[in-house]
């Protein structure tokens, strides 16, 4: 255990925050539970510099919880596109609707009611209660876990339940009885700016006097890393269908799974599966006088890798420019690709409108569409 007294830890951190901490972040202005909540959700596994423009745009479009609840999921996800971990956006939207329906549009002010909302755990609830509602609650996000693991030289990966419980106990003990709202922001700031994952700036750290990892020259050891497990690699062939009106055929993905609720290209498990589908269209009856695009007109683009938290996805784009794809009496939705659930919502969308962010699409889809705009 560190010999630096616990009150001294908190006071030293607050003194540092007063003079060196960040006080001009957008969610630190006009503080209220809604603004803090949105920022905490966006900041999960995402850096501040990445979040800021998303947060500002989100707040401009949805300035209150009632505005967010009244929006469509499609509108919300279009503001989330590129930020990743899209379940966060879906949960945020669902929780806003619950706040309107169950709490009269007022953000709840009790811990149990807050953690009952989708996507809010103990630490996020603690941050909202501490920063926005002036109630003493501890937090334990990734930054705080790193600070405490190093300061007390806690052995074991913080994701293990026993280690996490130990860190929660320390987090609660260190949270002061006064200025706990500033302390909450201060300890997050310390982890984000000085006690960083790599190349921490220990020499100017306000609590280095009692940090056991620093004393033992083992800062790079703590926190213990998650036991390594090789990520599997999956394959996906994406069919980019572009018509003569400069429109792209997109399907809305199921709510569960990767890119849930976002719009994406028809997906196949192999190149041959895509060819077989297109060949079936060529052979379809009652095509009329209009000829379909032939599978041989497929253009293969370079494949690339997109990494998720649990696996790598090797993406193989296939471009089909369909100047005369449909028959005289046919509708594009008659030939939607994918599962029944995927086909429930599919349509042609203007290419430029998608690139301009008017539709929620995942980052790899945006990357491919931008290639069409500026080949």
């Amino acid at each position: 255990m560190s010999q630096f007294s616990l009150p001294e830890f908190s006071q030293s951190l607050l003194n540092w925050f007063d003079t060196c901490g960040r006080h001009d972040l957008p969610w630190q202005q006009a503080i209220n539970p809604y603004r803090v909540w949105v920022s905490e959700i966006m900041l999960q596994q995402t850096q501040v510099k990445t979040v800021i423009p998303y947060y500002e745009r989100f707040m401009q479009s949805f300035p209150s919880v009632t505005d967010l609840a009244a929006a469509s999921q499609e509108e919300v996800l279009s503001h989330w596109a590129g930020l990743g971990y899209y379940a966060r956006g879906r949960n945020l939207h669902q929780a806003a609707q619950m706040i309107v329906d169950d709490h009269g549009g007022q953000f709840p002010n009790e811990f149990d009611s807050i953690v009952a909302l989708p996507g809010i755990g103990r630490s996020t609830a603690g941050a909202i209660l501490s920063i926005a509602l002036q109630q003493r609650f501890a937090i334990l996000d990734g930054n705080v876990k790193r600070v405490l693991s190093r300061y007390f030289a806690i052995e074991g990966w913080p994701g293990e339940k026993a280690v996490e419980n130990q860190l929660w106990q320390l987090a609660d003990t260190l949270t002061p009885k006064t200025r706990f709202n500033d302390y909450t922001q201060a300890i997050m700031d310390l982890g984000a700016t000085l006690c960083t994952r790599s190349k921490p700036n220990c020499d100017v750290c306000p609590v280095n006097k009692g940090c056991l990892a620093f004393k033992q020259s083992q800062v790079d050891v703590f926190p213990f890393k998650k036991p390594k497990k090789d990520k599997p690699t999956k394959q996906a062939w994406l069919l980019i269908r572009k018509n003569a009106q400069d429109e792209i055929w997109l399907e809305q993905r199921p709510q569960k799974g990767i890119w849930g609720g976002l719009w994406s290209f028809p997906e196949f498990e192999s190149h041959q599966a895509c060819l077989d589908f297109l060949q079936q269209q060529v052979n379809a009856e009652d095509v009329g006088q209009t000829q379909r695009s032939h599978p041989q007109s497929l253009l293969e683009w370079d494949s690339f890798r997109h990494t998720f938290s649990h696996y790598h996805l090797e993406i193989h784009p296939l471009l089909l420019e369909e100047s005369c794809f449909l028959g005289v009496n046919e509708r594009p939705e008659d030939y939607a690709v994918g599962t029944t659930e995927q086909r429930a919502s599919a349509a042609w969308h203007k290419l430029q409108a998608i690139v301009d962010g008017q539709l929620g699409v995942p980052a790899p889809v945006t990357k491919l569409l931008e290639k069409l705009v500026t080949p």
Side-chain angles (χ1 to χ4, degrees):
M1 181 67 72
S2 170
Q3 295 179 359
F4 202 39
S5 72
L6 300 187
E8 193 175 356
F9 175 95
S10 303
Q11 190 57 54
S12 296
L13 191 52
L14 284 168
N15 292 342
W16 168 81
F17 179 68
D18 288 342
T19 57
C20 303
R22 296 176 295 186
H23 301 273
D24 57 354
L25 296 172
W27 44 87
Q28 293 175 321
Q29 318 308 313
I31 291 175
N32 63 40
Y34 173 68
R35 290 176 60 84
V36 173
W37 168 46
V38 173
S39 72
E40 287 297 316
I41 299 299
M42 285 189 169
L43 288 165
Q44 290 172 1
Q45 304 186 62
T46 310
Q47 293 184 343
V48 166
K49 65 180 180 181
T50 301
V51 165
I52 288 176
Y54 280 92
Y55 181 85
E56 292 177 333
R57 180 175 172 231
F58 197 91
M59 280 299 156
Q60 186 175 7
S61 297
F62 316 115
S64 72
V65 68
T66 53
D67 292 314
L68 179 58
S72 67
Q73 179 181 276
E74 187 174 308
E75 288 179 286
V76 175
L77 292 182
S78 71
H79 285 70
W80 207 274
L83 197 57
Y85 301 98
Y86 296 99
R88 295 181 299 173
R90 295 195 302 273
N91 286 335
L92 203 67
H93 185 229
Q94 184 183 352
Q97 294 176 328
M98 290 175 62
I99 291 170
V100 169
D101 293 341
D102 302 339
H103 300 279
Q106 297 297 313
F107 201 96
N109 58 10
E110 296 181 351
F111 179 84
D112 288 345
S113 298
I114 294 176
V115 295
L117 297 171
I120 298 184
R122 180 179 174 182
S123 185
T124 300
I128 297 168
L129 286 160
S130 174
I131 297 171
L133 293 168
Q134 300 297 306
Q135 297 182 40
R136 183 190 176 278
F137 278 87
I139 66 163
L140 191 67
D141 68 355
N143 285 322
V144 178
K145 286 180 179 179
R146 185 166 57 254
V147 169
L148 299 185
S149 293
R150 285 173 174 166
Y151 188 79
F152 294 101
I154 303 296
E155 297 188 357
W157 175 51
E160 295 174 2
K161 195 61 181 174
V163 178
E164 185 180 33
N165 288 342
Q166 184 180 4
L167 291 171
W168 266 115
Q169 184 177 6
L170 290 168
D172 184 62
T173 302
L174 287 168
T175 302
K177 291 183 170 47
T178 60
R179 292 195 66 190
F180 40 77
N181 56 330
D182 289 336
Y183 173 83
T184 296
Q185 297 192 74
I187 195 166
M188 288 192 291
D189 243 17
L190 182 67
T193 62
L194 295 183
C195 194
T196 51
R197 185 178 289 107
S198 59
K199 299 180 180 178
N201 196 352
C202 298
D203 290 337
V204 297
C205 174
V207 293
N208 60 12
K209 175 182 173 183
C211 179
L212 294 181
F214 180 61
K215 285 183 176 181
Q216 299 166 7
S217 300
Q218 291 186 314
V219 174
D220 58 335
V221 174
F222 298 95
F224 279 23
K225 293 180 175 54
K226 181 179 180 179
K228 194 163 186 181
K229 184 178 179 181
D230 290 336
K231 291 183 180 180
T233 299
K234 300 181 181 180
Q235 309 288 328
W237 279 258
L238 301 183
L239 177 59
I240 308 168
R241 299 168 60 187
K242 180 175 178 290
N243 67 20
Q245 289 71 46
D246 214 24
E247 296 173 325
I248 304 296
W249 178 259
L250 295 177
E251 298 176 344
Q252 192 169 29
R253 295 184 65 90
Q255 293 298 314
K256 294 183 179 179
I258 65 165
W259 302 331
L262 297 181
W263 292 80
S264 185
F265 304 118
E267 181 179 330
F268 298 87
E269 61 183 14
S270 69
H271 190 170
Q272 189 59 49
C274 182
L275 292 174
D276 290 345
F277 168 79
L278 293 173
Q279 188 62 54
Q280 288 173 8
Q281 294 193 348
V282 171
N283 297 336
E285 295 180 356
D286 299 324
V287 171
Q289 297 179 349
T290 305
Q291 294 295 314
R292 294 187 182 282
S293 295
H294 194 275
Q296 291 179 351
S297 63
L298 270 181
L299 177 62
E300 231 179 305
W301 282 357
D302 291 338
S303 61
F304 63 96
R305 173 173 287 191
H306 185 76
T307 298
F308 296 95
S309 56
H310 300 301
Y311 67 91
H312 303 293
L313 183 65
E314 201 73 24
I315 296 174
H316 307 272
L318 301 171
L319 174 65
L320 181 63
E321 299 202 53
E322 309 179 14
S323 57
C324 55
F325 185 82
L326 297 174
V328 174
N329 298 315
E330 296 169 315
R331 299 172 299 134
E333 53 267 31
D334 291 334
Y335 293 94
V337 192
T339 65
T340 302
E341 187 176 359
Q342 285 175 306
R343 289 198 298 269
S345 187
W348 293 100
H349 296 273
K350 284 293 184 182
L351 171 59
Q352 192 60 55
I354 308 168
V355 173
D356 289 343
Q358 297 180 25
L359 198 67
V361 298
V365 170
T366 300
K367 176 179 179 180
L368 293 169
L369 292 174
E370 287 175 345
K371 185 174 179 180
L372 285 175
V373 174
T374 54

